[in-house]
Amino acid sequence: MIYTITFNPSLDYIMQVPDFKEGETNRSVKEDMYPGGKGFNVSTILQRLGYQNTALGFIAGFTGQQIKKELAQRGFICDLCELEEGMTRINIKMKGDKETEINGNGPFISQKKLDELISKIDTLKKGDTLILAGSIPSSLPDDIYEKIMDRLKDKEIRILVDATKQLLLNALPYKPFLIKPNLRELEEIFQTEINNQKELISYAKKLQEQGAMNVLVSLGKDGALLIA
């Protein structure tokens, strides 16, 4: 079974505002709302490709219930921890001549609820795949990825990591099966500017030397490059 974790999901509220004016009343011409979070996105794509999977994570309040409802329609299994207080954050994205985002902070996650998630992770068995993707809320320890990988290190579980700089680097000693930085993140990790494919491959291989088995660098409109 493939499992994904979304630690800090959101309900994304998209507003089309063609001529946004700061400090004035603006009216949108179109609105959309959908669940946000890298883990949920991965689960959605896997399901569309025919791969059954289970989405883990945290939800809270009426926004969390809306996310749960919409995810259920996508066909994959949702085994989410429901928080007793607060609400899943709302991210507002205004699209016009420029795109402006206001991202919420997210609810507090207690140790009790974190333990509930860990108990679900403990049921993973040999041959399963776990995808750790996206940011973590401020109420969780910043080494949560490492703690999960350390907990699973002897169970022969394939782990994939899609995270920003420090979360990604801290995961490398646990030899993840695949990591997925984008070009900008790769430049940030090595504090350099990458100008061509040769340099790109060189820096991706440095991440392999630090522990990653495979490195997939996403390149936006130019696709992606896999170093295996």
Side-chain angles (χ1 to χ4, degrees):
M1 173 64 77
I2 302 174
Y3 296 84
T4 68
I5 302 180
T6 304
F7 290 101
N8 201 20
S10 63
L11 195 59
D12 289 350
Y13 188 37
I14 315 300
M15 307 179 73
Q16 301 289 340
V17 186
D19 188 23
F20 176 76
K21 292 183 175 60
E22 185 178 354
E24 297 186 17
T25 299
N26 295 270
R27 298 188 184 280
S28 65
V29 298
K30 188 176 184 295
E31 301 91 28
D32 293 292
M33 186 177 293
Y34 58 84
K38 281 188 176 180
F40 293 156
N41 293 341
V42 172
S43 282
T44 299
I45 296 301
L46 287 172
Q47 188 67 24
R48 290 176 179 174
L49 293 173
Y51 293 94
Q52 182 64 27
N53 68 95
T54 298
L56 305 174
F58 300 99
I59 56 172
F62 76 96
T63 48
Q65 291 305 311
Q66 181 64 25
I67 286 175
K68 183 179 179 181
K69 176 182 176 181
E70 294 197 27
L71 292 181
Q73 297 174 355
R74 299 185 182 184
F76 52 84
I77 301 167
C78 289
D79 189 9
L80 304 173
C81 301
E82 299 193 22
L83 307 180
E84 298 163 350
E85 298 180 356
M87 68 177 191
T88 298
R89 62 188 179 140
I90 298 175
N91 290 344
I92 300 173
K93 303 177 187 295
M94 294 185 294
K95 296 180 179 292
D97 296 334
K98 295 181 179 180
E99 182 171 323
T100 301
E101 296 189 15
I102 304 174
N103 290 343
N105 186 45
F108 175 79
I109 299 172
S110 66
Q111 184 62 49
K112 176 183 176 182
K113 286 298 177 179
L114 178 56
D115 290 343
E116 182 181 327
L117 175 68
I118 295 299
S119 69
K120 296 178 187 295
I121 294 172
D122 283 343
T123 65
L124 272 65
K125 56 186 182 298
K126 179 179 177 180
D128 284 340
T129 296
L130 176 65
I131 301 172
L132 301 170
S135 64
I136 58 173
S138 58
S139 56
L140 287 183
D142 57 11
D143 62 349
I144 186 64
Y145 276 26
E146 299 163 73
K147 288 181 176 179
I148 289 173
M149 296 181 76
D150 185 63
R151 196 176 187 92
L152 299 176
K153 64 183 180 182
D154 297 323
K155 298 185 72 171
E156 296 184 44
I157 292 168
R158 182 182 297 175
I159 299 179
L160 290 71
V161 179
D162 179 4
T164 53
K165 184 177 178 181
Q166 205 55 47
L167 280 173
L168 183 65
L169 290 175
N170 291 345
L172 296 180
Y174 296 93
K175 302 186 184 305
F177 175 77
L178 175 75
I179 61 173
K180 195 208 72 64
N182 60 38
L183 177 59
R184 179 181 57 80
E185 290 166 345
L186 193 62
E187 290 177 330
E188 288 179 352
I189 288 171
F190 293 104
Q191 299 183 331
T192 189
E193 181 177 336
I194 297 175
N195 299 299
N196 53 59
Q197 189 177 90
K198 181 179 180 180
E199 292 179 357
L200 177 64
I201 293 172
S202 175
Y203 284 109
K205 285 185 175 181
K206 289 181 184 295
L207 294 178
Q208 282 186 310
E209 293 169 3
Q210 294 179 44
M213 296 175 64
N214 302 282
V215 181
L216 179 65
V217 184
S218 54
L219 303 171
K221 63 181 178 60
D222 294 320
L225 182 67
L226 175 64
I227 308 299

